[in-house]
Amino acid sequence: MTENGEDSSLHQSCETPAKGDSVVNDSRPLKTLLVDAKTCKEHNDALKLSQIARNTEGEIIPYQPRPPSLPRLSKGSKSVSLEETVRTRRLRNSQESLSDPAENGSSTDSLKEDQAVVLSGAATLRNDQDSTVGRLPAATTESPVFRDRGSSLSEYERRPHSQQSDPTDHRLRPTKLRLSPVQRSGPLPALERSFASATLRAANRIDRDCLDYVVLAKEKLGERLHRNLSDSRLLENMGSDSASVNSMRSTYSVLSPIRPQDVRNRSFLEGSVLGNGALLGAEELDRYFPDRRVGIYVATWNMQGEKGLPANLDDLLLPTDSEFAQDFYIIGVQEGCPDRREWEIRLQETLGPYYVMLYAASHGVLYLTVFVRRDLIWFCSEVEHATVTTRIISQIKTKGAVGIGFTFFGTSFLFITSHFTSGDAKVYERILDYNKIVEALALPKGLPDTNPYRSTASDVTTRFDQVFWFGDFNFRLSKDRVDVESIMNQTADGDMGPLLEHDQLSKEMKDGSIFKGFQEAQINFPPTYKFDIGCDIYDTTSKQRTPSYTDRILFRNRQADDIKVVKYSSCSNIKTSDHRPVVGVFQVKLRPGRDNIPLGAGQFDRSLYLEGIRRRITRELKRREAMKNQGSSTICTIS
C-alpha cells in the first residue's frame, strides 16, 4: 500500500474471490469484466516492481502484499445481486439526493456511480482502518466530496484499531456508506401570506367559518371583524395556519376536544366552578370573539296598529350601508300589528337561515323579539321576561313596558321596550311611567347576578351588565311647529344640535330626573314623528302636531366604555306608519363566564324557523319565475 492510500482500493478490487466465497453476480457484460481483470493484473505487476518500503533501520525490503480485508461471507449467507443493492441504496437515499443539485443527474450516470461505489467503497474503508481520517493527504482531504463523506463515517470506523471488535464478528456487519447531509446554498425565501396549501387548509375545507381572527383583528387595530358565513373576503386574506393546526386537535371534527375528566366533573346545564376549560370560559370566548366584543342591532318602531306590513323588511334589518350583519337582532314594537305571529315570521324570513329566534315576549300590543346567530345559541343562558303596565286599569295594555333578560357568556343583558304617556305637556306623567317600570320590572328571576355588589333592589337597570332601553318615549320638542320647521330648514350636514336644545328628554336626562346613568348616541337624523302615511311630509291634519324625537334608543353599562356606538339612524324607507323606525348598531364588551350559569340548551322556536325559511324559498322561486317569464315574453310593435 502506498502512503497516499490511493492504490489499495484498486488492488483489493482486483483480487479474485477466495474458495468458499459467494460470487457476486454482475449485471455487466462478460467482455467488460475481462478487460477490467487484464487491467488489474498489469497494474499489480508494475506495483510489485516499483513499490518498496523501508523499515525502521533503513534497510530496503521487497514489497509484501497485504492479505485481503474484504469480509468473507458465510456459506449460508444469501447472495445479493448488484442490481438489488443499487436499487436498495438509491431508494434509501432518495430523500437526501432529491434536493442536491450535484446528484440530480441522469439515471444512467447515477447507476454508473453507484456501481463504482459498491465495488470499491467497502474495500477502501476497510483498508483505511489502521489510520485515522486526519492522515489522508491534503489533496484528498481538500476535496469536498471526500471531506463530507469522511465526516459521515460511522462511529465504529472512527475508533482506533485496538478498540475495534474482532474481525470475525465484524464480517457479519454489512458495510453502510452514509452520504453527507444536503446543505442549502442560501436562506429560504420569506413565506408570503398569499400561499395556498391543501394540508394547512384542511380545517377551512371542513368549516369555512373556522378562521384565525386573532391575526386579522390585530392588523385592523381592534376593528370589529364579524364572522359572516357568506363573506368570502376574509378567506382571501387568510395566511396563518394556526386555526387549521388548532382545529385539527380533534380527530373527527374541527371542534376543540373535551377531556374525559371534564365530562365527569361538569354538567354544562348547571355547571361547576371548578377546573379549567369551562364552556363559557375565556378560552371558548376568545375562540369565537378574539376582541371580546359582540355586535348588537337594536330597532324600535311604532307601527300605529296597521294590519298591513311592509312588503320588504330588508331596509329595517339589513340596511345597505352596513358592511356586516350583527350577532344579535333586538326588535321592539309599539302599537304592533294584530297578528303577532305573522310579524315574527316576517322577521325570520328577512334574517334567513343564519339566525334563529331566541325568545319573544309581549305586553298587549308591545312586542319584543330577540334573534341570535345560530352558532352562538349554545352560549346563551335561559331567557326570562317580565312586563309592567302603566295604565290605571291594568287590563288596558297599550302603555307600559316588556323586558327580556339573559346572560351571554359571562355578561348579562337586559332589553326593555316601552311606550310612555302621550301628549306634548305630559312630561311629569312620562317620568312617573319610567319610575314605575324600573321598580316593578321583576328581573332577573333565576339567573345569577354577575355583579351583586352594584345592584339595587329599587332599580332593575342596575342588576345587569349591559342595558338597552328603547321605544316610543313620547317626549316632544318644546317649540311651535313653525319654529321647529324654521330650525330644520337652517340645519346643514345633519347637525341637529339647535333642534335638540328644545328636546324634553335631553333636558330631563341632564337634570337627572329620568334614565339615570343612561346615554344616547349623537342624533344626526330628522324627527321621526309625525308623518303622513306613505310620504315624507309631516302632519298635515288639523292638529298640525309638532315634529319630535319620540322614538329613541338609550343604553347603560356597569363598566365604562363597554358599549361603543357604531350607528344611530332612522329608517326613512319604511312609510307604513306615522313613525319612522329608529335603529342602532353597537359593539358590546363580553367577559368570560362560569359554568354555574344555567344555559338554554340551544332552545329556539323551530316551527317559526321552518315557516320563515319556507316563505323565503317560495319568494325566491317566484322571483326567478317572474324573471324567466319576463325574459321569454315578446312584444310586437307596428311602426
Side-chain angles (χ1 to χ4, degrees):
M1 175 181 177
T2 57
E3 292 180 358
N4 55 13
E6 294 178 355
D7 295 332
S8 61
S9 63
L10 208 52
H11 170 74
Q12 295 174 17
S13 64
C14 298
E15 291 178 351
T16 59
K19 184 178 180 180
D21 293 346
S22 60
V23 181
V24 178
N25 295 328
D26 198 336
S27 62
R28 294 179 300 175
L30 179 61
K31 183 178 180 180
T32 305
L33 294 177
L34 295 176
V35 174
D36 291 345
K38 182 179 181 180
T39 305
C40 293
K41 183 177 181 182
E42 294 176 357
H43 180 74
N44 291 338
D45 294 338
L47 197 61
K48 292 180 180 180
L49 295 176
S50 60
Q51 220 173 22
I52 58 176
R54 293 180 181 272
N55 59 4
T56 55
E57 299 179 358
E59 297 179 356
I60 300 177
I61 60 176
Y63 171 76
Q64 297 179 357
R66 298 182 59 180
S69 59
L70 279 175
R72 293 187 177 183
L73 300 177
S74 60
K75 295 183 179 181
S77 62
K78 184 179 180 181
S79 60
V80 181
S81 65
L82 176 62
E83 186 176 0
E84 292 177 354
T85 306
V86 172
R87 186 184 300 109
T88 304
R89 291 189 63 257
R90 292 184 63 191
L91 180 61
R92 183 173 62 251
N93 299 328
S94 60
Q95 296 298 328
E96 297 180 4
S97 61
L98 282 177
S99 57
D100 192 349
E103 298 186 11
N104 287 338
S106 63
S107 60
T108 306
D109 297 338
S110 302
L111 183 60
K112 291 180 179 179
E113 182 182 356
D114 291 335
Q115 291 174 352
V117 172
V118 168
L119 292 177
S120 61
T124 303
L125 292 177
R126 291 299 172 270
N127 289 338
D128 290 345
Q129 289 178 1
D130 296 339
S131 60
T132 60
V133 179
R135 294 181 57 186
L136 291 175
T140 305
T141 56
E142 288 299 321
S143 175
V145 177
F146 280 89
R147 181 174 62 252
D148 294 340
R149 298 188 178 183
S151 62
S152 63
L153 295 177
S154 64
E155 183 179 357
Y156 175 83
E157 295 164 345
R158 291 175 178 270
R159 299 177 185 174
H161 184 69
S162 59
Q163 298 181 7
Q164 293 183 3
S165 61
D166 186 48
T168 305
D169 300 336
H170 184 62
R171 289 194 190 102
L172 301 179
R173 299 184 181 181
T175 303
K176 182 182 294 184
L177 181 62
R178 295 187 178 90
L179 299 180
S180 60
V182 179
Q183 301 292 336
R184 61 174 183 268
S185 58
L188 296 176
L191 187 62
E192 301 292 339
R193 298 187 72 253
S194 60
F195 72 94
S197 174
T199 304
L200 299 182
R201 295 299 178 88
N204 293 338
R205 288 200 304 270
I206 299 173
D207 184 0
R208 293 174 58 86
D209 195 39
C210 182
L211 303 179
D212 192 354
Y213 281 80
V214 178
V215 178
L216 297 177
K218 291 181 180 179
E219 294 182 359
K220 295 292 184 178
L221 300 178
E223 181 182 353
R224 170 64 175 159
L225 292 175
H226 296 265
R227 299 186 176 191
N228 194 334
L229 294 177
S230 62
D231 183 59
S232 60
R233 286 171 292 180
L234 294 178
L235 294 175
E236 298 174 358
N237 298 329
M238 277 297 299
S240 176
D241 64 310
S242 60
S244 300
V245 174
N246 294 334
S247 63
M248 295 307 290
R249 279 183 268 176
S250 177
T251 307
Y252 306 104
S253 68
V254 298
L255 299 177
S256 298
I258 302 176
R259 298 178 300 178
Q261 182 180 359
D262 295 336
V263 179
R264 290 189 177 203
N265 300 337
R266 184 177 299 109
S267 171
F268 287 138
L269 296 183
E270 296 189 5
S272 169
V273 297
L274 301 178
N276 297 326
L279 180 64
L280 305 178
E283 182 179 356
E284 199 73 7
L285 175 60
D286 293 337
R287 180 170 177 256
Y288 283 85
F289 298 95
D291 53 0
R292 294 196 175 185
R293 287 193 174 272
V294 61
I296 295 182
Y297 189 100
V298 179
T300 178
W301 184 26
N302 187 320
M303 300 178 65
Q304 202 185 6
E306 291 293 331
K307 295 182 180 181
L309 296 175
N312 195 333
L313 295 177
D314 289 344
D315 294 334
L316 175 64
L317 302 177
L318 304 171
T320 56
D321 58 349
S322 295
E323 185 177 3
F324 296 105
Q326 305 305 311
D327 301 308
F328 282 89
Y329 279 82
I330 320 296
I331 303 100
V333 170
Q334 307 83 42
E335 299 183 18
C337 61
D339 192 349
R340 171 190 161 196
R341 187 65 175 180
E342 178 65 21
W343 166 247
E344 294 171 353
I345 292 175
R346 290 292 306 277
L347 294 176
Q348 179 69 76
E349 178 185 356
T350 303
L351 292 175
Y354 291 135
Y355 296 87
V356 295
M357 190 177 75
L358 178 65
Y359 202 80
S362 64
H363 178 70
V365 291
L366 288 172
Y367 305 153
L368 182 57
T369 313
V370 178
F371 283 87
V372 62
R373 277 189 58 166
R374 190 176 58 187
D375 46 354
L376 298 178
I377 193 173
W378 305 105
F379 309 104
C380 298
S381 71
E382 296 177 349
V383 186
E384 302 172 342
H385 85 279
T387 61
V388 175
T389 182
T390 56
R391 290 285 192 180
I392 299 177
I393 303 176
S394 60
Q395 285 76 12
I396 302 177
K397 299 179 180 180
T398 57
K399 298 293 189 294
V402 54
I404 290 179
F406 63 91
T407 300
F408 185 66
F409 280 95
T411 304
S412 58
F413 288 86
L414 175 63
F415 299 96
I416 304 175
T417 184
S418 60
H419 195 184
F420 291 170
T421 303
S422 61
D424 292 350
K426 295 184 178 181
V427 177
Y428 181 72
E429 286 79 0
R430 287 188 277 271
I431 295 177
L432 292 179
D433 292 343
Y434 164 80
N435 291 331
K436 183 176 182 179
I437 292 171
V438 296
E439 293 177 2
L441 198 63
L443 289 174
K445 299 177 181 178
L447 295 175
D449 193 343
T450 56
N451 195 344
Y453 301 102
R454 293 194 174 190
S455 302
T456 59
S458 60
D459 191 348
V460 66
T461 62
T462 63
R463 300 194 286 269
F464 291 85
D465 296 323
Q466 320 293 352
V467 182
F468 292 87
W469 197 329
F470 45 94
D472 183 2
F473 299 148
N474 263 321
F475 285 96
R476 312 300 175 90
L477 294 177
S478 302
K479 273 288 187 180
D480 295 335
R481 175 166 179 168
V482 177
D483 298 334
V484 170
E485 290 180 345
S486 177
I487 296 175
M488 291 176 59
N489 294 331
Q490 295 175 3
T491 57
D493 299 332
D495 182 15
M496 298 298 173
L499 200 60
L500 292 172
E501 293 179 358
H502 309 284
D503 180 55
Q504 296 175 352
L505 179 59
S506 301
K507 179 179 179 300
E508 296 299 329
M509 289 180 64
K510 290 180 180 179
D511 296 340
S513 57
I514 193 173
F515 290 112
K516 299 175 183 178
F518 280 84
Q519 306 174 54
E520 184 180 17
Q522 184 178 355
I523 296 179
N524 295 318
F525 50 90
T528 58
Y529 174 83
K530 172 182 183 187
F531 288 92
D532 290 340
I533 296 177
C535 61
D536 294 326
I537 301 175
Y538 288 100
D539 187 18
T540 58
T541 63
S542 58
K543 294 184 178 180
Q544 292 287 307
R545 293 183 177 88
T546 302
S548 301
Y549 292 98
T550 58
D551 308 281
R552 314 287 273 270
I553 300 176
L554 308 178
F555 58 90
R556 172 178 177 168
N557 45 259
R558 279 176 171 172
Q559 304 290 338
D561 300 328
D562 271 6
I563 299 177
K564 293 184 178 180
V565 180
V566 178
K567 176 183 178 181
Y568 190 40
S569 178
S570 64
C571 183
S572 58
N573 294 331
I574 296 181
K575 306 174 183 180
T576 58
S577 170
D578 57 351
H579 290 254
R580 294 289 183 266
V582 176
V583 298
V585 180
F586 305 90
Q587 290 293 316
V588 182
K589 182 73 173 180
L590 294 178
R591 290 177 175 82
R594 300 186 301 178
D595 283 347
N596 64 340
I597 299 174
L599 297 180
Q603 295 181 0
F604 65 95
D605 195 329
R606 185 174 182 271
S607 61
L608 177 77
Y609 178 83
L610 295 177
E611 179 62 22
I613 302 306
R614 186 190 66 80
R615 290 193 184 185
R616 187 182 180 95
I617 296 175
T618 304
R619 183 183 63 181
E620 180 65 19
L621 293 177
K622 290 181 179 180
R623 186 186 66 84
R624 293 183 181 182
E625 186 67 22
M627 293 180 60
K628 181 179 179 181
N629 294 336
Q630 182 179 2
S632 60
S633 61
T634 56
I635 300 177
C636 298
T637 59
I638 300 176
S639 57

